[in-house]
Amino acid sequence: MNTQVHIPQDEQMITVKLSIKEAIALSGVRFNQQPSLAVDARKKLRKALEHEMLPESDKIHYHALDM
């Protein structure tokens, strides 16, 4: 099965500030002394993407919902 995913704003650029070690860890190199390095770098990327894709005005504030 071949499915295509449409990503809105797919040509838009984002900037994420990573250390050299974080960038290397994302490429697959493991740092035994710092096992959470790649995890932390992925979190930075995810946060930057969420910030671009879900601006503050579009977020749902769950405490404001009447449930």
Side-chain angles (χ1 to χ4, degrees), residues 4-46:
Q4 291 183 343
V5 176
H6 175 70
I7 300 172
Q9 307 164 343
D10 61 341
E11 297 298 320
Q12 183 179 350
M13 302 289 246
I14 63 168
T15 303
V16 179
K17 199 169 201 173
L18 298 174
S19 69
I20 292 179
K21 277 187 173 182
E22 288 172 329
I24 293 171
L26 286 178
S27 72
V29 176
R30 292 188 179 173
F31 290 88
N32 292 330
Q33 299 299 322
Q34 296 173 302
S36 65
L37 201 57
V39 173
D40 294 340
R42 280 198 232 43
K43 284 180 184 178
K44 284 184 181 181
L45 286 172
R46 195 173 305 119

